[in-house]
Amino acid sequence: METAIVAGGCFWCTEAVFRDVIGVDSVESGYIGGTVPSPTYKQVCGGDTGHAEAIKVHYDPSVLSYGDLLDVFMGTHDPTQLNRQGNDVGTQYRSAIFPLDEAQAAEAEAAVTRSNQDNGGKVVTTIEGFADGKQNDEWYPAEDYHQEYWDGEGQRNPYCLAVIPPKLMKLRKSFQNKVKG
């Protein structure tokens, strides 16, 4: 198994998408890219810690390549919105890739280039952590109630009901061969 970390706005939404992708063993919501050790959800939502709401994906590279994982990521959120996804506004909702080594950093650059071709050169997704040389790549798991949120409380949350189903439909339409059966 390998690990990927991406941030595409609300982690509930991004987690829900990746739990349906072939080759994905597990998805954990959390925080990365900030300066405050062990931040809480409330702190991150306040926008002052520098963290992004993100997901850590454990996947089987023999089933899903890192490049394909990034293409699904770029294709199921709006990588052209700076520091926001829909009504979620702030740096904590930025579009970012957090590569864990040089190979992932190179593949992240290639994924952004591919996405720019599909989005008229307007992609604002950043490549952070290992790739930018900053020491802001420590992973902090989100509180337990955020994990697998869509499978539980998310089904009763009006925000999730408005935002997640269209993302799942986009996954099924645009990446049919990457959806779990």
Side-chain angles (χ1 to χ4, degrees):
M1 295 304 245
E2 292 189 12
T3 301
I5 299 175
V6 294
C10 164
F11 51 30
W12 298 335
C13 303
T14 314
E15 177 188 278
V17 167
F18 276 91
R19 289 177 48 80
D20 277 358
V21 175
I22 62 166
V24 172
D25 179 62
S26 65
V27 183
E28 179 181 59
S29 291
Y31 317 111
I32 191 169
T35 57
V36 174
S38 302
T40 65
Y41 181 65
K42 185 175 181 179
Q43 288 175 308
V44 173
C45 285
D48 298 323
T49 70
H51 291 89
E53 284 194 15
I55 60 168
K56 181 187 279 190
V57 180
H58 294 280
Y59 67 99
D60 181 345
S62 70
V63 177
L64 178 70
S65 72
Y66 184 68
D68 286 345
L69 183 150
L70 293 179
D71 288 344
V72 169
F73 167 67
M74 298 297 279
T76 54
H77 82 291
D78 186 347
T80 68
Q81 290 191 345
L82 183 62
N83 296 328
R84 74 177 303 151
Q85 284 296 299
N87 291 332
D88 290 331
V89 179
T91 58
Q92 66 272 32
Y93 302 113
R94 67 188 178 271
S95 174
I97 302 168
F98 293 85
L100 302 175
D101 58 33
E102 288 182 32
Q104 283 191 357
E107 193 60 50
E109 292 283 349
V112 168
T113 298
R114 289 190 299 274
S115 187
N116 259 320
Q117 292 169 351
D118 295 337
N119 289 286
K122 297 179 181 177
V123 170
V124 295
T125 303
T126 56
I127 301 171
E128 301 181 33
F130 176 86
D132 68 7
K134 296 180 182 174
Q135 298 300 313
N136 65 345
D137 58 355
E138 182 149 355
W139 176 257
Y140 298 100
E143 296 83 349
D144 287 345
Y145 69 93
H146 293 296
Q147 309 304 330
E148 300 177 15
Y149 189 80
W150 177 239
D151 292 341
E153 183 65 29
Q155 299 288 320
R156 295 177 297 282
N157 180 318
Y159 169 83
C160 290
L161 290 168
V163 176
I164 293 175
K167 288 179 177 286
L168 294 173
M169 287 191 320
K170 191 169 189 177
L171 171 69
R172 287 174 178 78
K173 181 179 178 191
S174 301
F175 300 97
Q176 292 175 359
N177 64 337
K178 301 292 183 225
V179 178
K180 289 180 180 174

